[in-house]
């Protein structure tokens, strides 16, 4: 196996090239499909970790003597001040690996042992995604396609940070992106660039917030608008009014699941009748790791394991299913048993009894019960369907359930 470029550079000692070292780190992270590079100074070394499939892995150890040069190089690439060492700095740069353009978002902060850096890699991969490749089950896909082709209303994607909400919204925009419609987004930050769509970057220094940007966008005659995130009452109020006045609006919210989205809007001082008449769909999602195809094997669970699983899962989820799958670990997946990630979803259509429950200001638990009775597949059920199909493992679904 050929030696890693980063390790080759580090072995050069005093003769190493900082420029090549930083380039090689980004290239290696891209090849391993890592989303982030963490450069963390410690007492006697600088640890480099990559986040692959949502999990941080130790990759390299660098001498502390080169820390300031590495950080300075990253600052120069990101257009940041090199003489500022006591403030948190944010920047970005663009590079290319294997003839592919990659945006790198940079965050540098002063830590106890010196400045650390986190680099987030954003390749133009959103162009390649489809609802199928994101893991949407047939039934959920139908509900979503029906809702996004309505002329107005809101599509809200919910879940914690890093659960793939923005990627889902970009994929929807790509489906809707035709010459007959005008699509404008306001984002913080712009994660992928999509041709044919006007994308606006939030800039708090100039007063361009989500709310202010949304007001400006409405004067630009759009058909479809994406607001990166609804964070406050002002943005929520504007978003609802925008959806009421004949626009399709897509956005994200930080809530645990689809049902919690509606009471969260109530907390933001939105009237129940406005929520009921504007929200078309609330989509809850998480990401789970996929089993590596090169070392996948069948796994039979014992009656004892079956019993303990039955106790933590909703009734009927297991459906007397005893055969699952796992990855044993190989070179292809760096012995993790997993390679890549896939979404697990719940798609709540706001109509009939669910709409009625929203009007009555029902709590999230009641809304969820009604939605399930109306045929909504929960995230846990969707996850277990994927575990039964051999896409992911029971452990991954339980980890998501625990979170």
């Amino acid at each position: 196996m050929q030696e890693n470029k980063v390790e080759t550079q580090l072995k050069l000692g005093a003769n190493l090239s900082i420029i090549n070292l930083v380039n090689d780190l980004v290239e290696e992270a891209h090849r391993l499909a890592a989303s982030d590079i963490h450069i963390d100074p410690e007492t006697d070394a600088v640890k480099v970790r990559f986040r692959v499939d949502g999990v941080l892995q130790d990759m390299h150890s660098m001498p502390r003597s080169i820390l300031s040069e590495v950080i300075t190089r990253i600052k120069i690439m990101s257009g940041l001040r090199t003489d500022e060492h006591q403030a948190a700095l944010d920047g970005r740069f663009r590079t290319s690996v294997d003839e592919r353009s990659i945006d790198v978002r940079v965050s540098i902060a002063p830590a106890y042992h010196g400045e650390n850096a986190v680099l987030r890699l954003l390749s133009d991969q959103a162009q390649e995604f489809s609802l199928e490749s994101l893991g949407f089950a047939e039934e959920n896909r139908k509900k979503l396609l029906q809702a996004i082709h309505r002329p107005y209303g809101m599509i809200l994607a919910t879940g914690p940070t890093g659960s793939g909400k923005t990627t889902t919204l970009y994929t929807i925009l790509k489906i809707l992106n035709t010459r007959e419609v005008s699509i404008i987004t306001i984002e913080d930050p712009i994660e992928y660039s999509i041709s044919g769509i006007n994308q606006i970057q939030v800039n708090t220094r100039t007063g361009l917030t989500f709310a202010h940007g949304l007001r400006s966008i409405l004067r630009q005659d759009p058909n479809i608008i994406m607001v990166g995130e609804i964070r406050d009452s002002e943005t929520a109020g504007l978003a609802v009014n925008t959806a009421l006045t004949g626009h399709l609006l897509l956005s994200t919210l930080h809530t645990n699941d689809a049902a919690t989205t509606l009471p969260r809007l109530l907390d933001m001082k939105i009237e129940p009748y406005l929520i009921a008449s504007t929200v078309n769909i609330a989509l809850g999602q998480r990401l789970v790791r996929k089993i590596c195809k090169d070392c996948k094997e069948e796994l039979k669970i014992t009656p004892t394991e079956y019993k303990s699983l039955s106790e933590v899962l909703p009734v009927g989820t297991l459906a007397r299913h005893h055969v699952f799958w796992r990855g044993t670990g190989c070179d292809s997946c760096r012995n993790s048993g997993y390679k890549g990630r896939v979404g697990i979803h719940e798609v709540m259509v706001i109509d009939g009894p669910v709409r009625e429950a929203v009007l009555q200001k029902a709590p999230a638990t009641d809304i969820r019960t009604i939605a399930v009775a109306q045929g909504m597949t929960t995230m846990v059920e969707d996850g277990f369907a994927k575990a039964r199909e051999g896409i992911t493992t029971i452990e991954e679904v339980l980890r998501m359930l625990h979170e």
Side-chain angles (χ1 to χ4, degrees):
M1 208 168 144
Q2 77 179 80
E3 186 165 52
N4 179 291
K5 279 188 181 178
V6 175
E7 291 300 328
T8 306
Q9 273 298 330
L10 291 171
K11 281 182 180 168
L12 295 174
N15 298 319
L16 72 75
S17 156
I18 295 293
I19 291 174
N20 289 347
L21 178 65
V22 173
N23 290 348
D24 292 344
L25 274 174
V26 173
E27 185 180 317
E28 184 187 358
H30 173 71
R31 295 239 165 93
L32 291 173
S35 59
D36 302 84
I37 302 170
H38 287 239
I39 299 172
D40 298 319
E42 294 180 357
T43 317
D44 48 5
V46 178
K47 291 282 186 274
V48 178
R49 295 182 295 168
F50 290 175
R51 189 178 291 283
V52 180
D53 295 336
V55 179
L56 278 169
Q57 301 177 4
D58 284 322
M59 298 300 297
H60 304 288
S61 182
M62 304 192 299
R64 273 192 62 88
S65 56
I66 64 169
L67 173 66
S68 67
E69 291 175 81
V70 169
I71 297 292
T72 300
R73 173 62 190 156
I74 293 168
K75 285 179 178 176
I76 289 167
M77 292 170 83
S78 315
L80 297 170
R81 284 180 55 175
T82 54
D83 60 344
E84 178 58 81
H85 304 288
Q86 296 306 317
L89 303 170
D90 292 312
R92 65 193 300 155
F93 64 87
R94 178 163 272 214
T95 184
S96 75
V97 176
D98 300 336
E99 297 179 3
R100 183 164 199 167
S101 186
I102 298 173
D103 260 337
V104 181
R105 208 164 78 215
V106 174
S107 170
I108 293 172
Y112 185 73
H113 292 294
E115 288 177 288
N116 71 5
V118 177
L119 282 64
R120 167 151 287 193
L121 277 64
L122 303 162
S123 70
D124 291 334
Q125 56 185 357
Q127 307 285 355
E128 298 162 16
F129 285 132
S130 65
L131 293 178
E132 289 90 339
S133 68
L134 293 180
F136 279 92
E138 182 65 31
E139 193 57 38
N140 284 340
R141 203 159 63 237
K142 278 183 194 159
K143 288 178 186 172
L144 202 50
L145 287 171
Q146 206 172 353
I148 66 175
H149 285 111
R150 286 171 66 176
Y152 62 90
M154 288 167 77
I155 310 284
L156 297 175
T158 77
T161 304
S163 57
K165 303 184 294 292
T166 308
T167 303
T168 297
L169 293 190
Y170 274 130
T171 306
I172 292 170
L173 288 182
K174 201 182 76 175
I175 295 168
L176 296 170
N177 187 13
T178 62
R179 299 308 301 161
E180 294 81 50
V181 294
S182 163
I183 302 177
I184 306 181
T185 74
I186 175 145
E187 305 170 58
D188 183 24
I190 294 170
E191 297 205 7
Y192 309 112
S193 111
I194 305 178
S195 60
I197 292 178
N198 289 310
Q199 294 171 273
I200 299 168
Q201 166 74 50
V202 162
N203 187 340
T204 44
R205 283 199 298 276
T206 61
L208 181 54
T209 59
F210 279 124
H212 186 266
L214 189 46
R215 281 198 183 91
S216 309
I217 284 173
L218 288 171
R219 293 192 283 274
Q220 300 249 321
D221 185 33
N223 301 94
I224 298 160
I225 299 168
M226 178 178 118
V227 178
E229 188 187 337
I230 294 176
R231 291 178 184 166
D232 52 57
S233 302
E234 188 185 4
T235 311
L238 281 166
V240 165
N241 283 326
T242 303
L244 275 175
T245 53
H247 302 86
L248 185 65
L249 185 131
L250 285 67
S251 192
T252 69
L253 266 171
H254 279 285
T255 64
N256 280 335
D257 56 20
T260 328
T261 308
L262 308 167
R264 178 85 185 94
L265 289 171
L266 282 174
D267 293 344
M268 290 180 169
K269 310 284 186 287
I270 306 298
E271 291 294 337
Y273 72 91
L274 290 174
I275 299 170
S277 54
T278 55
V279 182
N280 295 348
I281 263 187
L283 158 71
Q285 75 173 63
R286 293 285 191 285
L287 292 176
V288 292
R289 290 181 291 171
K290 292 197 289 188
I291 298 171
C292 170
K293 288 177 180 164
D294 295 329
C295 59
K296 181 174 166 181
E297 68 168 25
E298 201 173 276
L299 167 74
K300 270 203 170 78
I301 58 170
T302 63
T304 317
E305 288 169 329
Y306 182 87
K307 186 172 181 294
S308 56
L309 274 174
S310 305
E311 286 163 8
V312 293
L313 292 169
V315 181
T317 308
L318 272 174
R320 308 215 59 75
H321 204 86
H322 289 263
V323 178
F324 293 91
W325 302 85
R326 69 171 174 195
T328 55
C330 63
D331 287 345
S332 176
C333 61
R334 293 177 54 84
N335 290 317
S336 67
Y338 297 101
K339 197 169 185 185
R341 288 189 292 174
V342 69
I344 55 178
H345 309 94
E346 55 187 23
V347 177
M348 180 187 286
V349 181
I350 316 302
D351 62 4
V354 175
R355 182 172 284 151
E356 198 53 46
V358 175
L359 288 169
Q360 302 300 325
K361 293 192 181 180
T365 45
D366 292 3
I367 293 172
R368 184 180 188 77
T369 307
I370 293 164
V372 169
Q374 293 297 302
M376 180 181 86
T377 304
T378 65
M379 275 188 278
V380 176
E381 288 166 345
D382 191 38
F384 264 86
K386 289 182 169 73
R388 286 196 295 270
E389 290 165 34
I391 295 168
T392 189
T393 61
I394 305 178
E395 286 81 5
E396 275 295 284
V397 181
L398 290 176
R399 181 176 67 86
M400 181 279 303
L401 181 63
H402 181 66
E403 284 176 2

